[in-house]
Amino acid sequence: MTQLAADINEAAAAIREKWNGTPRVGLILGTGLGGLAEQIQQDAVIHYSEIPHFPESTVESHAGQLICGSLSGVPIVAMEGRFHFYEGYTMQQVTFPVRVMKALGIEILIVTNAAGGMNPEFQLADLMIIDDHINLMGDNPLIGENDESLGPRFPDMSEPYTRKLSTLAHKTAGELGIAAHRGVFIAVTGPNLETRAEYSMLRTLGADVVGMSTVPEVIVANHAGLRVLGCSIVTDMCLPNELEPVDIAKILAVAATGGERLSRLIPAVVGKLSQGG
Ligand code: HPA
């Protein structure tokens, strides 16, 4: 067994000691999604520091705990707080929790994030269901020895976000009266925001929104054979000719508004999964 597989098993075993459920869905909560965590019927809340081999969260706006329970009747594990590459973690550390959630039994990973909007049709606090992504982080969590028991050496990425799930989420948003776009997410390392020239370039590359997370986790989820749903909240508009200095407090406020919408959408989507959706 590889060291990675041994570490995953140890982490999963520590979680199982505190919660004996089998989750169907794993949820990574990005900025602004505290409200969604509250909607989970919580059986156990495990701080990351209690899970062997889990890195500890450093960003203030992220809580750093694993919530085990159910959402809309579906057994779930939710990460309240994620690990970012810009915090100095390796790609393997950033994605370790996805491996652990897979070991616990999840079949579907739902990832959320705050992102900068580059599509001029988008507005602040809009949601965008992620249809595809571009990895511009200059690194990859799968570099290094491949453990065939975890996934293939050369994983396919022709449908990194499960089309059926994106369509279900988009349709559900419509039913709830929540405006949701569909589009391409591009990942950069951060932590600085982009220059006008960079936003211009990222848009030219084919992206609708830009963010500093998600892509590593989604690569590993695909490697692990999980189905994936991704959703971004547009927290700031990044139109090169109208760019304003970044105000992190404002981004967090907008994230909260978008988060409220996502907190209605995700439970509805998860509820439909239990009906075979
Ligand atoms: N760029 C990168 N990441 C982000 C942005 C942005 O403009 N907004 C929120 N996350």
PDB file of all heavy atoms in Angstrom, residues 115-120 133-137 184-190 192-212 236 238-240 243:
ATOM      1  N   ALA A 115     -15.759  33.615  -6.999  1.00  0.00           N
ATOM      2  CA  ALA A 115     -14.951  33.819  -8.204  1.00  0.00           C
ATOM      3  C   ALA A 115     -15.177  35.210  -8.768  1.00  0.00           C
ATOM      4  O   ALA A 115     -16.190  35.857  -8.503  1.00  0.00           O
ATOM      5  CB  ALA A 115     -15.308  32.755  -9.244  1.00  0.00           C
ATOM      6  N   GLY A 116     -14.219  35.640  -9.553  1.00  0.00           N
ATOM      7  CA  GLY A 116     -14.318  36.931 -10.220  1.00  0.00           C
ATOM      8  C   GLY A 116     -15.004  36.748 -11.572  1.00  0.00           C
ATOM      9  O   GLY A 116     -14.670  35.841 -12.328  1.00  0.00           O
ATOM     10  N   GLY A 117     -15.986  37.608 -11.860  1.00  0.00           N
ATOM     11  CA  GLY A 117     -16.744  37.478 -13.107  1.00  0.00           C
ATOM     12  C   GLY A 117     -16.061  38.217 -14.254  1.00  0.00           C
ATOM     13  O   GLY A 117     -15.793  39.412 -14.152  1.00  0.00           O
ATOM     14  N   MET A 118     -15.800  37.505 -15.331  1.00  0.00           N
ATOM     15  CA  MET A 118     -15.171  38.128 -16.510  1.00  0.00           C
ATOM     16  C   MET A 118     -16.122  38.196 -17.692  1.00  0.00           C
ATOM     17  O   MET A 118     -15.887  38.909 -18.647  1.00  0.00           O
ATOM     18  CB  MET A 118     -13.911  37.352 -16.888  1.00  0.00           C
ATOM     19  CG  MET A 118     -12.879  37.360 -15.760  1.00  0.00           C
ATOM     20  SD  MET A 118     -11.345  36.569 -16.226  1.00  0.00           S
ATOM     21  CE  MET A 118     -11.906  34.894 -16.508  1.00  0.00           C
ATOM     22  N   ASN A 119     -17.188  37.409 -17.630  1.00  0.00           N
ATOM     23  CA  ASN A 119     -18.220  37.481 -18.672  1.00  0.00           C
ATOM     24  C   ASN A 119     -19.050  38.741 -18.403  1.00  0.00           C
ATOM     25  O   ASN A 119     -19.647  38.878 -17.338  1.00  0.00           O
ATOM     26  CB  ASN A 119     -19.087  36.225 -18.600  1.00  0.00           C
ATOM     27  CG  ASN A 119     -20.126  36.186 -19.701  1.00  0.00           C
ATOM     28  OD1 ASN A 119     -20.643  37.229 -20.114  1.00  0.00           O
ATOM     29  ND2 ASN A 119     -20.434  34.996 -20.171  1.00  0.00           N
ATOM     30  N   PRO A 120     -19.070  39.677 -19.361  1.00  0.00           N
ATOM     31  CA  PRO A 120     -19.749  40.955 -19.108  1.00  0.00           C
ATOM     32  C   PRO A 120     -21.244  40.822 -18.856  1.00  0.00           C
ATOM     33  O   PRO A 120     -21.875  41.751 -18.337  1.00  0.00           O
ATOM     34  CB  PRO A 120     -19.470  41.766 -20.381  1.00  0.00           C
ATOM     35  CG  PRO A 120     -18.949  40.818 -21.390  1.00  0.00           C
ATOM     36  CD  PRO A 120     -18.426  39.611 -20.671  1.00  0.00           C
ATOM     37  N   HIS A 133     -13.483  23.540 -16.897  1.00  0.00           N
ATOM     38  CA  HIS A 133     -12.476  24.403 -16.271  1.00  0.00           C
ATOM     39  C   HIS A 133     -11.169  24.425 -17.053  1.00  0.00           C
ATOM     40  O   HIS A 133     -10.941  23.592 -17.936  1.00  0.00           O
ATOM     41  CB  HIS A 133     -12.253  24.016 -14.798  1.00  0.00           C
ATOM     42  CG  HIS A 133     -11.444  22.755 -14.577  1.00  0.00           C
ATOM     43  ND1 HIS A 133     -11.727  21.860 -13.572  1.00  0.00           N
ATOM     44  CD2 HIS A 133     -10.344  22.246 -15.199  1.00  0.00           C
ATOM     45  CE1 HIS A 133     -10.850  20.868 -13.597  1.00  0.00           C
ATOM     46  NE2 HIS A 133     -10.002  21.080 -14.576  1.00  0.00           N
ATOM     47  N   ILE A 134     -10.350  25.396 -16.701  1.00  0.00           N
ATOM     48  CA  ILE A 134      -8.982  25.492 -17.232  1.00  0.00           C
ATOM     49  C   ILE A 134      -8.059  25.560 -16.023  1.00  0.00           C
ATOM     50  O   ILE A 134      -8.258  26.387 -15.122  1.00  0.00           O
ATOM     51  CB  ILE A 134      -8.815  26.761 -18.108  1.00  0.00           C
ATOM     52  CG1 ILE A 134      -9.763  26.719 -19.319  1.00  0.00           C
ATOM     53  CG2 ILE A 134      -7.355  26.899 -18.562  1.00  0.00           C
ATOM     54  CD1 ILE A 134      -9.827  28.030 -20.115  1.00  0.00           C
ATOM     55  N   ASN A 135      -7.071  24.667 -16.003  1.00  0.00           N
ATOM     56  CA  ASN A 135      -6.108  24.660 -14.907  1.00  0.00           C
ATOM     57  C   ASN A 135      -4.918  25.537 -15.277  1.00  0.00           C
ATOM     58  O   ASN A 135      -4.075  25.154 -16.064  1.00  0.00           O
ATOM     59  CB  ASN A 135      -5.645  23.227 -14.626  1.00  0.00           C
ATOM     60  CG  ASN A 135      -4.596  23.179 -13.528  1.00  0.00           C
ATOM     61  OD1 ASN A 135      -4.404  24.151 -12.793  1.00  0.00           O
ATOM     62  ND2 ASN A 135      -3.910  22.051 -13.419  1.00  0.00           N
ATOM     63  N   LEU A 136      -4.876  26.719 -14.684  1.00  0.00           N
ATOM     64  CA  LEU A 136      -3.752  27.633 -14.950  1.00  0.00           C
ATOM     65  C   LEU A 136      -2.934  27.828 -13.662  1.00  0.00           C
ATOM     66  O   LEU A 136      -2.299  28.849 -13.467  1.00  0.00           O
ATOM     67  CB  LEU A 136      -4.292  28.972 -15.466  1.00  0.00           C
ATOM     68  CG  LEU A 136      -3.368  29.738 -16.419  1.00  0.00           C
ATOM     69  CD1 LEU A 136      -3.253  29.010 -17.754  1.00  0.00           C
ATOM     70  CD2 LEU A 136      -3.884  31.152 -16.667  1.00  0.00           C
ATOM     71  N   MET A 137      -2.977  26.815 -12.798  1.00  0.00           N
ATOM     72  CA  MET A 137      -2.283  26.950 -11.511  1.00  0.00           C
ATOM     73  C   MET A 137      -0.813  26.552 -11.617  1.00  0.00           C
ATOM     74  O   MET A 137      -0.048  26.734 -10.669  1.00  0.00           O
ATOM     75  CB  MET A 137      -2.995  26.134 -10.432  1.00  0.00           C
ATOM     76  CG  MET A 137      -4.387  26.667 -10.119  1.00  0.00           C
ATOM     77  SD  MET A 137      -5.255  25.730  -8.833  1.00  0.00           S
ATOM     78  CE  MET A 137      -4.979  26.749  -7.390  1.00  0.00           C
ATOM     79  N   VAL A 184     -17.353  28.514 -17.916  1.00  0.00           N
ATOM     80  CA  VAL A 184     -16.010  27.958 -17.702  1.00  0.00           C
ATOM     81  C   VAL A 184     -15.300  28.694 -16.559  1.00  0.00           C
ATOM     82  O   VAL A 184     -15.254  29.929 -16.533  1.00  0.00           O
ATOM     83  CB  VAL A 184     -15.174  28.062 -19.005  1.00  0.00           C
ATOM     84  CG1 VAL A 184     -13.732  27.627 -18.763  1.00  0.00           C
ATOM     85  CG2 VAL A 184     -15.812  27.239 -20.120  1.00  0.00           C
ATOM     86  N   PHE A 185     -14.747  27.909 -15.647  1.00  0.00           N
ATOM     87  CA  PHE A 185     -13.985  28.422 -14.500  1.00  0.00           C
ATOM     88  C   PHE A 185     -12.499  28.263 -14.809  1.00  0.00           C
ATOM     89  O   PHE A 185     -12.072  27.199 -15.249  1.00  0.00           O
ATOM     90  CB  PHE A 185     -14.360  27.597 -13.266  1.00  0.00           C
ATOM     91  CG  PHE A 185     -13.611  27.946 -12.004  1.00  0.00           C
ATOM     92  CD1 PHE A 185     -14.125  28.871 -11.104  1.00  0.00           C
ATOM     93  CD2 PHE A 185     -12.392  27.333 -11.706  1.00  0.00           C
ATOM     94  CE1 PHE A 185     -13.450  29.184  -9.926  1.00  0.00           C
ATOM     95  CE2 PHE A 185     -11.706  27.644 -10.533  1.00  0.00           C
ATOM     96  CZ  PHE A 185     -12.238  28.571  -9.648  1.00  0.00           C
ATOM     97  N   ILE A 186     -11.737  29.311 -14.574  1.00  0.00           N
ATOM     98  CA  ILE A 186     -10.284  29.191 -14.744  1.00  0.00           C
ATOM     99  C   ILE A 186      -9.630  29.385 -13.381  1.00  0.00           C
ATOM    100  O   ILE A 186     -10.010  30.283 -12.621  1.00  0.00           O
ATOM    101  CB  ILE A 186      -9.747  30.181 -15.807  1.00  0.00           C
ATOM    102  CG1 ILE A 186      -8.298  29.836 -16.191  1.00  0.00           C
ATOM    103  CG2 ILE A 186      -9.859  31.640 -15.396  1.00  0.00           C
ATOM    104  CD1 ILE A 186      -7.840  30.470 -17.512  1.00  0.00           C
ATOM    105  N   ALA A 187      -8.680  28.513 -13.062  1.00  0.00           N
ATOM    106  CA  ALA A 187      -8.033  28.578 -11.744  1.00  0.00           C
ATOM    107  C   ALA A 187      -6.636  29.149 -11.850  1.00  0.00           C
ATOM    108  O   ALA A 187      -5.837  28.727 -12.689  1.00  0.00           O
ATOM    109  CB  ALA A 187      -7.978  27.181 -11.132  1.00  0.00           C
ATOM    110  N   VAL A 188      -6.361  30.117 -10.991  1.00  0.00           N
ATOM    111  CA  VAL A 188      -5.034  30.702 -10.845  1.00  0.00           C
ATOM    112  C   VAL A 188      -4.595  30.455  -9.402  1.00  0.00           C
ATOM    113  O   VAL A 188      -5.424  30.086  -8.561  1.00  0.00           O
ATOM    114  CB  VAL A 188      -5.057  32.217 -11.158  1.00  0.00           C
ATOM    115  CG1 VAL A 188      -5.383  32.467 -12.620  1.00  0.00           C
ATOM    116  CG2 VAL A 188      -6.057  32.948 -10.264  1.00  0.00           C
ATOM    117  N   THR A 189      -3.320  30.692  -9.102  1.00  0.00           N
ATOM    118  CA  THR A 189      -2.887  30.418  -7.727  1.00  0.00           C
ATOM    119  C   THR A 189      -3.309  31.504  -6.758  1.00  0.00           C
ATOM    120  O   THR A 189      -3.578  31.209  -5.596  1.00  0.00           O
ATOM    121  CB  THR A 189      -1.346  30.286  -7.633  1.00  0.00           C
ATOM    122  OG1 THR A 189      -0.757  31.537  -7.987  1.00  0.00           O
ATOM    123  CG2 THR A 189      -0.822  29.180  -8.531  1.00  0.00           C
ATOM    124  N   GLY A 190      -3.395  32.782  -7.202  1.00  0.00           N
ATOM    125  CA  GLY A 190      -3.496  33.855  -6.229  1.00  0.00           C
ATOM    126  C   GLY A 190      -2.182  33.913  -5.478  1.00  0.00           C
ATOM    127  O   GLY A 190      -1.203  33.285  -5.897  1.00  0.00           O
ATOM    128  N   ASN A 192      -2.686  37.233  -4.918  1.00  0.00           N
ATOM    129  CA  ASN A 192      -3.075  38.554  -5.431  1.00  0.00           C
ATOM    130  C   ASN A 192      -4.183  38.387  -6.464  1.00  0.00           C
ATOM    131  O   ASN A 192      -4.289  37.338  -7.116  1.00  0.00           O
ATOM    132  CB  ASN A 192      -1.877  39.296  -6.054  1.00  0.00           C
ATOM    133  CG  ASN A 192      -1.302  38.558  -7.245  1.00  0.00           C
ATOM    134  OD1 ASN A 192      -0.531  37.612  -7.074  1.00  0.00           O
ATOM    135  ND2 ASN A 192      -1.689  38.948  -8.446  1.00  0.00           N
ATOM    136  N   LEU A 193      -5.003  39.404  -6.580  1.00  0.00           N
ATOM    137  CA  LEU A 193      -5.982  39.387  -7.650  1.00  0.00           C
ATOM    138  C   LEU A 193      -5.254  39.737  -8.940  1.00  0.00           C
ATOM    139  O   LEU A 193      -4.056  40.011  -8.932  1.00  0.00           O
ATOM    140  CB  LEU A 193      -7.151  40.315  -7.315  1.00  0.00           C
ATOM    141  CG  LEU A 193      -8.025  39.598  -6.269  1.00  0.00           C
ATOM    142  CD1 LEU A 193      -7.711  40.043  -4.875  1.00  0.00           C
ATOM    143  CD2 LEU A 193      -9.485  39.700  -6.583  1.00  0.00           C
ATOM    144  N   GLU A 194      -5.987  39.710 -10.054  1.00  0.00           N
ATOM    145  CA  GLU A 194      -5.300  39.822 -11.330  1.00  0.00           C
ATOM    146  C   GLU A 194      -5.158  41.272 -11.776  1.00  0.00           C
ATOM    147  O   GLU A 194      -5.935  42.149 -11.389  1.00  0.00           O
ATOM    148  CB  GLU A 194      -6.078  39.031 -12.398  1.00  0.00           C
ATOM    149  CG  GLU A 194      -5.969  37.530 -12.237  1.00  0.00           C
ATOM    150  CD  GLU A 194      -6.655  36.990 -11.003  1.00  0.00           C
ATOM    151  OE1 GLU A 194      -7.751  37.483 -10.672  1.00  0.00           O
ATOM    152  OE2 GLU A 194      -6.082  36.102 -10.361  1.00  0.00           O
ATOM    153  N   THR A 195      -4.188  41.477 -12.637  1.00  0.00           N
ATOM    154  CA  THR A 195      -4.038  42.778 -13.284  1.00  0.00           C
ATOM    155  C   THR A 195      -5.069  42.862 -14.412  1.00  0.00           C
ATOM    156  O   THR A 195      -5.644  41.843 -14.833  1.00  0.00           O
ATOM    157  CB  THR A 195      -2.638  42.928 -13.896  1.00  0.00           C
ATOM    158  OG1 THR A 195      -2.506  41.960 -14.957  1.00  0.00           O
ATOM    159  CG2 THR A 195      -1.534  42.713 -12.857  1.00  0.00           C
ATOM    160  N   ARG A 196      -5.269  44.071 -14.914  1.00  0.00           N
ATOM    161  CA  ARG A 196      -6.206  44.217 -16.034  1.00  0.00           C
ATOM    162  C   ARG A 196      -5.758  43.383 -17.232  1.00  0.00           C
ATOM    163  O   ARG A 196      -6.560  42.739 -17.894  1.00  0.00           O
ATOM    164  CB  ARG A 196      -6.352  45.696 -16.410  1.00  0.00           C
ATOM    165  CG  ARG A 196      -7.278  46.427 -15.473  1.00  0.00           C
ATOM    166  CD  ARG A 196      -7.415  47.873 -15.819  1.00  0.00           C
ATOM    167  NE  ARG A 196      -6.145  48.559 -15.617  1.00  0.00           N
ATOM    168  CZ  ARG A 196      -5.816  49.711 -16.186  1.00  0.00           C
ATOM    169  NH1 ARG A 196      -6.668  50.314 -16.986  1.00  0.00           N
ATOM    170  NH2 ARG A 196      -4.664  50.264 -15.943  1.00  0.00           N
ATOM    171  N   ALA A 197      -4.458  43.396 -17.482  1.00  0.00           N
ATOM    172  CA  ALA A 197      -3.939  42.614 -18.616  1.00  0.00           C
ATOM    173  C   ALA A 197      -4.183  41.122 -18.399  1.00  0.00           C
ATOM    174  O   ALA A 197      -4.487  40.384 -19.346  1.00  0.00           O
ATOM    175  CB  ALA A 197      -2.450  42.899 -18.801  1.00  0.00           C
ATOM    176  N   GLU A 198      -4.087  40.690 -17.146  1.00  0.00           N
ATOM    177  CA  GLU A 198      -4.328  39.261 -16.872  1.00  0.00           C
ATOM    178  C   GLU A 198      -5.808  38.902 -17.053  1.00  0.00           C
ATOM    179  O   GLU A 198      -6.134  37.851 -17.619  1.00  0.00           O
ATOM    180  CB  GLU A 198      -3.850  38.916 -15.461  1.00  0.00           C
ATOM    181  CG  GLU A 198      -2.325  38.850 -15.358  1.00  0.00           C
ATOM    182  CD  GLU A 198      -1.785  38.860 -13.937  1.00  0.00           C
ATOM    183  OE1 GLU A 198      -2.537  39.201 -12.986  1.00  0.00           O
ATOM    184  OE2 GLU A 198      -0.587  38.570 -13.773  1.00  0.00           O
ATOM    185  N   TYR A 199      -6.710  39.764 -16.577  1.00  0.00           N
ATOM    186  CA  TYR A 199      -8.142  39.484 -16.781  1.00  0.00           C
ATOM    187  C   TYR A 199      -8.449  39.404 -18.273  1.00  0.00           C
ATOM    188  O   TYR A 199      -9.209  38.544 -18.724  1.00  0.00           O
ATOM    189  CB  TYR A 199      -9.017  40.561 -16.121  1.00  0.00           C
ATOM    190  CG  TYR A 199      -9.127  40.431 -14.613  1.00  0.00           C
ATOM    191  CD1 TYR A 199      -8.861  41.508 -13.778  1.00  0.00           C
ATOM    192  CD2 TYR A 199      -9.519  39.223 -14.026  1.00  0.00           C
ATOM    193  CE1 TYR A 199      -8.969  41.403 -12.392  1.00  0.00           C
ATOM    194  CE2 TYR A 199      -9.617  39.105 -12.642  1.00  0.00           C
ATOM    195  CZ  TYR A 199      -9.337  40.196 -11.836  1.00  0.00           C
ATOM    196  OH  TYR A 199      -9.446  40.062 -10.476  1.00  0.00           O
ATOM    197  N   SER A 200      -7.841  40.296 -19.014  1.00  0.00           N
ATOM    198  CA  SER A 200      -8.023  40.306 -20.456  1.00  0.00           C
ATOM    199  C   SER A 200      -7.574  38.980 -21.063  1.00  0.00           C
ATOM    200  O   SER A 200      -8.270  38.364 -21.878  1.00  0.00           O
ATOM    201  CB  SER A 200      -7.134  41.426 -20.999  1.00  0.00           C
ATOM    202  OG  SER A 200      -7.745  42.125 -21.950  1.00  0.00           O
ATOM    203  N   MET A 201      -6.414  38.530 -20.630  1.00  0.00           N
ATOM    204  CA  MET A 201      -5.867  37.265 -21.125  1.00  0.00           C
ATOM    205  C   MET A 201      -6.759  36.090 -20.729  1.00  0.00           C
ATOM    206  O   MET A 201      -7.088  35.237 -21.556  1.00  0.00           O
ATOM    207  CB  MET A 201      -4.463  37.046 -20.558  1.00  0.00           C
ATOM    208  CG  MET A 201      -3.889  35.695 -20.913  1.00  0.00           C
ATOM    209  SD  MET A 201      -2.420  35.252 -19.944  1.00  0.00           S
ATOM    210  CE  MET A 201      -3.128  34.875 -18.350  1.00  0.00           C
ATOM    211  N   LEU A 202      -7.192  36.055 -19.452  1.00  0.00           N
ATOM    212  CA  LEU A 202      -7.983  34.918 -18.956  1.00  0.00           C
ATOM    213  C   LEU A 202      -9.314  34.822 -19.701  1.00  0.00           C
ATOM    214  O   LEU A 202      -9.806  33.738 -20.006  1.00  0.00           O
ATOM    215  CB  LEU A 202      -8.226  35.054 -17.447  1.00  0.00           C
ATOM    216  CG  LEU A 202      -6.961  35.044 -16.571  1.00  0.00           C
ATOM    217  CD1 LEU A 202      -7.298  35.386 -15.124  1.00  0.00           C
ATOM    218  CD2 LEU A 202      -6.260  33.692 -16.639  1.00  0.00           C
ATOM    219  N   ARG A 203      -9.881  35.977 -20.009  1.00  0.00           N
ATOM    220  CA  ARG A 203     -11.136  35.998 -20.773  1.00  0.00           C
ATOM    221  C   ARG A 203     -10.894  35.479 -22.188  1.00  0.00           C
ATOM    222  O   ARG A 203     -11.670  34.681 -22.709  1.00  0.00           O
ATOM    223  CB  ARG A 203     -11.680  37.443 -20.801  1.00  0.00           C
ATOM    224  CG  ARG A 203     -12.962  37.616 -21.579  1.00  0.00           C
ATOM    225  CD  ARG A 203     -14.156  37.039 -20.831  1.00  0.00           C
ATOM    226  NE  ARG A 203     -15.395  37.174 -21.574  1.00  0.00           N
ATOM    227  CZ  ARG A 203     -16.332  36.237 -21.655  1.00  0.00           C
ATOM    228  NH1 ARG A 203     -16.192  35.086 -21.025  1.00  0.00           N
ATOM    229  NH2 ARG A 203     -17.442  36.433 -22.335  1.00  0.00           N
ATOM    230  N   THR A 204      -9.780  35.922 -22.777  1.00  0.00           N
ATOM    231  CA  THR A 204      -9.429  35.474 -24.130  1.00  0.00           C
ATOM    232  C   THR A 204      -9.204  33.960 -24.165  1.00  0.00           C
ATOM    233  O   THR A 204      -9.508  33.300 -25.158  1.00  0.00           O
ATOM    234  CB  THR A 204      -8.147  36.200 -24.620  1.00  0.00           C
ATOM    235  OG1 THR A 204      -8.372  37.600 -24.517  1.00  0.00           O
ATOM    236  CG2 THR A 204      -7.802  35.842 -26.051  1.00  0.00           C
ATOM    237  N   LEU A 205      -8.727  33.426 -23.058  1.00  0.00           N
ATOM    238  CA  LEU A 205      -8.480  31.979 -23.005  1.00  0.00           C
ATOM    239  C   LEU A 205      -9.787  31.182 -22.986  1.00  0.00           C
ATOM    240  O   LEU A 205      -9.776  29.966 -23.137  1.00  0.00           O
ATOM    241  CB  LEU A 205      -7.646  31.632 -21.763  1.00  0.00           C
ATOM    242  CG  LEU A 205      -6.176  32.079 -21.797  1.00  0.00           C
ATOM    243  CD1 LEU A 205      -5.490  31.720 -20.475  1.00  0.00           C
ATOM    244  CD2 LEU A 205      -5.422  31.428 -22.950  1.00  0.00           C
ATOM    245  N   GLY A 206     -10.893  31.864 -22.754  1.00  0.00           N
ATOM    246  CA  GLY A 206     -12.172  31.165 -22.832  1.00  0.00           C
ATOM    247  C   GLY A 206     -12.898  30.998 -21.515  1.00  0.00           C
ATOM    248  O   GLY A 206     -13.844  30.211 -21.423  1.00  0.00           O
ATOM    249  N   ALA A 207     -12.471  31.743 -20.483  1.00  0.00           N
ATOM    250  CA  ALA A 207     -13.107  31.563 -19.180  1.00  0.00           C
ATOM    251  C   ALA A 207     -14.159  32.638 -18.909  1.00  0.00           C
ATOM    252  O   ALA A 207     -14.044  33.771 -19.375  1.00  0.00           O
ATOM    253  CB  ALA A 207     -12.050  31.589 -18.083  1.00  0.00           C
ATOM    254  N   ASP A 208     -15.162  32.247 -18.116  1.00  0.00           N
ATOM    255  CA  ASP A 208     -16.212  33.188 -17.696  1.00  0.00           C
ATOM    256  C   ASP A 208     -15.952  33.739 -16.304  1.00  0.00           C
ATOM    257  O   ASP A 208     -16.332  34.857 -15.993  1.00  0.00           O
ATOM    258  CB  ASP A 208     -17.570  32.477 -17.723  1.00  0.00           C
ATOM    259  CG  ASP A 208     -17.947  32.058 -19.127  1.00  0.00           C
ATOM    260  OD1 ASP A 208     -18.248  32.938 -19.940  1.00  0.00           O
ATOM    261  OD2 ASP A 208     -17.902  30.838 -19.429  1.00  0.00           O
ATOM    262  N   VAL A 209     -15.348  32.899 -15.438  1.00  0.00           N
ATOM    263  CA  VAL A 209     -15.003  33.348 -14.086  1.00  0.00           C
ATOM    264  C   VAL A 209     -13.614  32.846 -13.726  1.00  0.00           C
ATOM    265  O   VAL A 209     -13.121  31.869 -14.300  1.00  0.00           O
ATOM    266  CB  VAL A 209     -16.028  32.870 -13.009  1.00  0.00           C
ATOM    267  CG1 VAL A 209     -17.423  33.391 -13.287  1.00  0.00           C
ATOM    268  CG2 VAL A 209     -16.019  31.359 -12.871  1.00  0.00           C
ATOM    269  N   VAL A 210     -12.994  33.531 -12.746  1.00  0.00           N
ATOM    270  CA  VAL A 210     -11.649  33.135 -12.299  1.00  0.00           C
ATOM    271  C   VAL A 210     -11.644  33.002 -10.786  1.00  0.00           C
ATOM    272  O   VAL A 210     -12.275  33.795 -10.082  1.00  0.00           O
ATOM    273  CB  VAL A 210     -10.577  34.150 -12.770  1.00  0.00           C
ATOM    274  CG1 VAL A 210     -10.907  35.584 -12.365  1.00  0.00           C
ATOM    275  CG2 VAL A 210      -9.178  33.777 -12.263  1.00  0.00           C
ATOM    276  N   GLY A 211     -10.942  31.989 -10.291  1.00  0.00           N
ATOM    277  CA  GLY A 211     -10.847  31.803  -8.850  1.00  0.00           C
ATOM    278  C   GLY A 211      -9.558  31.092  -8.482  1.00  0.00           C
ATOM    279  O   GLY A 211      -8.774  30.703  -9.341  1.00  0.00           O
ATOM    280  N   MET A 212      -9.371  30.933  -7.165  1.00  0.00           N
ATOM    281  CA  MET A 212      -8.096  30.409  -6.651  1.00  0.00           C
ATOM    282  C   MET A 212      -8.248  29.022  -6.023  1.00  0.00           C
ATOM    283  O   MET A 212      -7.404  28.623  -5.216  1.00  0.00           O
ATOM    284  CB  MET A 212      -7.526  31.372  -5.607  1.00  0.00           C
ATOM    285  CG  MET A 212      -7.364  32.805  -6.102  1.00  0.00           C
ATOM    286  SD  MET A 212      -6.874  33.905  -4.774  1.00  0.00           S
ATOM    287  CE  MET A 212      -7.119  35.520  -5.547  1.00  0.00           C
ATOM    288  N   ASP A 236     -17.007  39.542  -7.548  1.00  0.00           N
ATOM    289  CA  ASP A 236     -16.485  40.829  -8.020  1.00  0.00           C
ATOM    290  C   ASP A 236     -16.446  40.778  -9.539  1.00  0.00           C
ATOM    291  O   ASP A 236     -16.275  39.709 -10.122  1.00  0.00           O
ATOM    292  CB  ASP A 236     -15.096  41.125  -7.446  1.00  0.00           C
ATOM    293  CG  ASP A 236     -14.104  39.999  -7.664  1.00  0.00           C
ATOM    294  OD1 ASP A 236     -14.480  38.833  -7.419  1.00  0.00           O
ATOM    295  OD2 ASP A 236     -12.972  40.259  -8.092  1.00  0.00           O
ATOM    296  N   CYS A 238     -14.750  41.643 -13.062  1.00  0.00           N
ATOM    297  CA  CYS A 238     -13.359  41.790 -13.500  1.00  0.00           C
ATOM    298  C   CYS A 238     -13.309  42.159 -14.973  1.00  0.00           C
ATOM    299  O   CYS A 238     -12.758  41.422 -15.788  1.00  0.00           O
ATOM    300  CB  CYS A 238     -12.606  40.497 -13.250  1.00  0.00           C
ATOM    301  SG  CYS A 238     -12.822  39.878 -11.582  1.00  0.00           S
ATOM    302  N   LEU A 239     -13.941  43.270 -15.308  1.00  0.00           N
ATOM    303  CA  LEU A 239     -13.909  43.738 -16.694  1.00  0.00           C
ATOM    304  C   LEU A 239     -12.725  44.707 -16.793  1.00  0.00           C
ATOM    305  O   LEU A 239     -12.709  45.735 -16.090  1.00  0.00           O
ATOM    306  CB  LEU A 239     -15.227  44.414 -17.049  1.00  0.00           C
ATOM    307  CG  LEU A 239     -16.470  43.550 -16.763  1.00  0.00           C
ATOM    308  CD1 LEU A 239     -17.756  44.312 -17.080  1.00  0.00           C
ATOM    309  CD2 LEU A 239     -16.424  42.238 -17.533  1.00  0.00           C
ATOM    310  N   PRO A 240     -11.740  44.377 -17.625  1.00  0.00           N
ATOM    311  CA  PRO A 240     -10.480  45.132 -17.613  1.00  0.00           C
ATOM    312  C   PRO A 240     -10.667  46.644 -17.712  1.00  0.00           C
ATOM    313  O   PRO A 240      -9.963  47.392 -17.035  1.00  0.00           O
ATOM    314  CB  PRO A 240      -9.741  44.580 -18.836  1.00  0.00           C
ATOM    315  CG  PRO A 240     -10.311  43.238 -19.056  1.00  0.00           C
ATOM    316  CD  PRO A 240     -11.729  43.270 -18.568  1.00  0.00           C
ATOM    317  N   LEU A 243     -12.246  48.132 -14.207  1.00  0.00           N
ATOM    318  CA  LEU A 243     -11.765  47.501 -12.979  1.00  0.00           C
ATOM    319  C   LEU A 243     -11.598  48.512 -11.847  1.00  0.00           C
ATOM    320  O   LEU A 243     -11.012  49.572 -12.022  1.00  0.00           O
ATOM    321  CB  LEU A 243     -10.428  46.809 -13.254  1.00  0.00           C
ATOM    322  CG  LEU A 243      -9.998  45.785 -12.207  1.00  0.00           C
ATOM    323  CD1 LEU A 243     -11.001  44.645 -12.094  1.00  0.00           C
ATOM    324  CD2 LEU A 243      -8.614  45.236 -12.548  1.00  0.00           C
TER     325      LEU A 243
END
